Amino acid sequence: MKLFTIPFLLLTLTFFAQNTKKYDTFFEKGNGNQAADYPETIKYYSLLSHDFPTIQMQEMGLTDSGYPLHMITFNPDKEFDFNKIQKNKAVLLVNNGIHAGEPDGIDATMQLFRDLALGKIKVPKNTVIVTIPVYNIGGALNRNSTTRANQDGPEIYGFRGNAQNYDLNRDLIKSDTRNTKSFVEIFQKTNPDVFIDNHVSNGSDYQYKLTYIMTQHNKLGTVLGGYMNTEMMPALVKDLQNKKIETTPYVDSFKDTPDKGFGQFTDSPRYTTGYTSLFNTIGFVVETHMLKKYADRVKVTYEYMKSTIDFMEANYLKIKQQRIKNEEQYLPKKSYTLKWEMDSTKTTSFSFLGYEAGYKKSEATTGDRLYYDRSKPYKKDVPYIKEFKSVKEVVIPTAYIIPRGYWNVIDLLKNNGISYSQLKNDTIVEVESYKIADFKTVPSAYEGHYLHRNTTITSKMVKVAFMKGDYLVPTNQKGVKYLLEAFEPEGVDSFFNWNFFDAILQQKEHYSEYVFEDTAAKLLKENPALKAELETKKQSDPAFSKNPEAQLEWIYKHSAYYEKAHLQYPVYRVL
């Protein structure tokens, strides 16, 4: 009997090895420094979805490249209806290749899905894993070996800009690209409990192969943010350490070198994790280190995802409960923070694994250059700031009203799963109305826009006549944080700051001075209070008192002739 058992066992193992060899990825077949291109990636997932009923591959919306995004789902139960999945399982969404020159996650995630399908790693019972295999398809098709000048491999990679040359990781809330609109469709469909965006860092040199960004926990919310900060992130760091992988928060130095200290990266809603946090999703950005070998970077990216799955598997119910509790913080009449800043009074420290740095004469320029000496590694405590404080708050209204003419805004609300209704009749409603008081604009184009900043408003309660068909958007819904960030003009990534409402900044009607002179004189004669106010301004403002044109403009803007639409913010708050 034993004479037949050993050869049979060897034959079985040989067959299994040959059969699973077909699932080697392009990266695994190469020299460790070659990344799969877009067609190879899609071909590989097609193979997995064909051979394993636990993996489904779906074509979703189009991208600027003309190709659709794909959504790949692994569920051992072979159930792919997310309305059913979300009732009893947690969902992890992994995004890859948003910057196509940073392909570590593309190769690592193919291996992860293969290993899950084959059972090479522990298959989760309570967690479903979803990935966008290549998000920036246009950038992935634009392959080269030079644009990531500081990066150690792979040999060929994609480009940061997409098919329209947008940086997709600055596009989330404004959604200029088809890529983003299709990403939002996937995000809203899957409603992930945890989100990972895989990247490669650029910056100072240090010993770590892996750094990470967790979405800013104060901004995420005290319940879910506190859980992520005090329980989930420490558990992930410890699990990675058990695998002999040291990691650190993303090195966003506020001095020349990280030993001087650095702070938490601020992910506003233009970034993926800033956007996903608006829907109470825990978000992480994996940032492998550009100066480490590609094969090592792929490995640690894989391990970060696996550690996240393991944590979610053990804590899926608590994560889902914390999400629900977190939503309860953002109800009408409560305060919401629009602007945050680092709280330098709460600086902490941690042991950082770096290299000694110095300066020496440049061989390329006439100046001195920074360098890191890898023969002098160190472990030292460095200052770190991860606590943020509120510097601008707003009271959450019960609803917003938007005139029906702003169809571009309504389209984004639809895309983001926002609930709304339309007025059935012409209606007069008492609302809080904003006027744009001041703002600054960047001097050069940024991601297709001339972005506004430092916006301030004035407000007052008024009765406004709205028309049948205008949109009423309640805030008592899951997307309340999205609405506040989009509609409050003073928010850093508000629709106003992204130029959605620039038409209100231009005065459409004016006057001929020689004609309006007679009207202005009549106005002052019939309105003594207006004349007194004008005289007061002339006395207090010498430059104004010497400028007749400015005085006439002042009278015009204090009259009924001045158009109400100029600087009138078109989104109204129902308190």
Side-chain angles (χ1 to χ4, degrees), residues 388-407:
F388 280 52
K389 61 183 178 181
S390 172
V391 293
K392 176 66 181 181
E393 295 182 358
V394 65
V395 174
I396 302 174
T398 59
Y400 290 98
I401 299 180
I402 313 163
R404 60 184 178 179
Y406 288 94
W407 52 266

Side-chain angles (χ1 to χ4, degrees), residues 241-297:
Q241 286 175 334
N242 291 338
K243 301 175 186 179
K244 308 301 181 185
I245 299 171
E246 294 290 345
T247 187
T248 181
Y250 176 70
V251 183
D252 194 21
S253 297
F254 50 77
K255 299 279 185 167
D256 284 345
T257 55
D259 59 305
K260 303 295 192 301
F262 55 97
Q264 164 95 19
F265 180 80
T266 307
D267 54 342
S268 68
R270 72 187 65 174
Y271 301 100
T272 53
T273 53
Y275 168 82
T276 58
S277 72
L278 300 182
F279 296 89
N280 301 297
T281 294
I282 294 173
F284 301 104
V285 177
V286 173
E287 291 274 4
T288 56
H289 190 216
M290 60 176 181
L291 298 179
K292 303 303 186 289
K293 296 296 183 184
Y294 184 61
D296 292 339
R297 301 192 330 246

Side-chain angles (χ1 to χ4, degrees), residues 33 36 67 135 148 202 215 228 230 251 290 297 373 396 422-423 462 492 525 549:
N33 198 31
Y67 292 92
Y135 180 34
R148 296 284 294 178
N202 202 345
T215 193
M228 175 188 66
T230 62
V251 183
M290 60 176 181
R297 301 192 330 246
D373 189 343
I396 302 174
Q422 289 183 268
L423 300 180
V462 294
V492 64
K525 184 177 180 180
E549 290 82 4

Side-chain angles (χ1 to χ4, degrees), residues 506-539:
Q506 180 186 1
Q507 194 172 328
K508 300 300 189 294
E509 303 278 10
H510 219 270
Y511 57 87
S512 294
E513 291 184 2
Y514 81 97
V515 178
F516 193 69
E517 279 280 355
D518 295 331
T519 305
K522 183 180 179 183
L523 287 170
L524 294 175
K525 184 177 180 180
E526 294 176 349
N527 192 336
L530 181 66
K531 184 175 182 179
E533 188 177 351
L534 175 63
E535 292 301 321
T536 299
K537 181 165 179 60
K538 285 193 289 187
Q539 292 173 13

Side-chain angles (χ1 to χ4, degrees), residues 263-512:
Q264 164 95 19
F265 180 80
T266 307
D267 54 342
S268 68
R270 72 187 65 174
Y271 301 100
T272 53
T273 53
Y275 168 82
T276 58
S277 72
L278 300 182
F279 296 89
N280 301 297
T281 294
I282 294 173
F284 301 104
V285 177
V286 173
E287 291 274 4
T288 56
H289 190 216
M290 60 176 181
L291 298 179
K292 303 303 186 289
K293 296 296 183 184
Y294 184 61
D296 292 339
R297 301 192 330 246
V298 171
K299 182 179 186 302
V300 295
T301 301
Y302 176 102
E303 293 298 341
Y304 189 98
M305 292 188 290
K306 186 174 179 299
S307 292
T308 303
I309 294 169
D310 291 343
F311 182 88
M312 292 177 67
E313 183 67 4
N315 300 278
Y316 75 103
L317 282 177
K318 188 169 186 180
I319 292 172
K320 297 180 82 65
Q321 290 165 358
Q322 298 294 77
R323 290 186 75 197
I324 293 170
K325 289 180 182 178
N326 205 65
E327 290 182 25
E328 297 171 359
Q329 298 172 88
Y330 305 105
L331 298 174
K333 310 297 185 183
K334 292 190 175 183
S335 291
Y336 179 80
T337 296
L338 280 177
K339 293 182 182 179
W340 300 87
E341 66 179 30
M342 285 185 184
D343 189 347
S344 59
T345 66
K346 296 181 179 178
T347 300
T348 59
S349 66
F350 71 98
S351 293
F352 184 79
L353 302 174
Y355 297 114
E356 294 292 344
Y359 290 87
K360 62 184 179 181
K361 184 171 177 53
S362 169
E363 296 180 9
T365 72
T366 58
D368 293 333
R369 45 87 36 108
L370 172 68
Y371 73 98
Y372 291 87
D373 189 343
R374 288 195 172 185
S375 68
K376 297 179 179 178
Y378 67 73
K379 180 179 182 180
K380 65 173 72 171
D381 289 346
V382 300
Y384 181 61
I385 303 175
K386 69 175 179 177
E387 296 294 331
F388 280 52
K389 61 183 178 181
S390 172
V391 293
K392 176 66 181 181
E393 295 182 358
V394 65
V395 174
I396 302 174
T398 59
Y400 290 98
I401 299 180
I402 313 163
R404 60 184 178 179
Y406 288 94
W407 52 266
N408 58 331
V409 171
I410 301 305
D411 284 349
L412 285 183
L413 298 189
K414 292 177 183 176
N415 195 217
N416 283 275
I418 299 297
S419 300
Y420 56 81
S421 61
Q422 289 183 268
L423 300 180
K424 299 187 184 309
N425 301 290
D426 293 352
T427 309
I428 296 175
V429 183
E430 186 174 32
V431 293
E432 184 177 13
S433 170
Y434 287 161
K435 277 272 191 176
I436 304 300
D438 193 21
F439 62 94
K440 301 292 185 291
T441 304
V442 297
S444 57
Y446 175 78
E447 293 304 320
H449 293 254
Y450 284 83
L451 188 64
H452 301 317
R453 57 186 173 81
N454 298 340
T455 299
T456 58
I457 53 97
T458 59
S459 70
K460 62 180 178 180
M461 298 301 297
V462 294
K463 290 183 178 180
V464 176
F466 293 100
M467 298 176 63
K468 176 183 177 181
D470 288 345
Y471 291 87
L472 179 68
V473 187
T475 59
N476 191 11
Q477 58 177 301
K478 181 182 175 183
V480 56
K481 291 198 284 183
Y482 173 87
L483 292 172
L484 290 159
E485 295 287 349
F487 285 159
E488 293 296 329
E490 294 172 306
V492 64
D493 278 337
S494 68
F495 283 171
F496 174 81
N497 281 337
W498 279 111
N499 311 121
F500 279 63
F501 302 116
D502 274 9
I504 69 169
L505 304 180
Q506 180 186 1
Q507 194 172 328
K508 300 300 189 294
E509 303 278 10
H510 219 270
Y511 57 87
S512 294

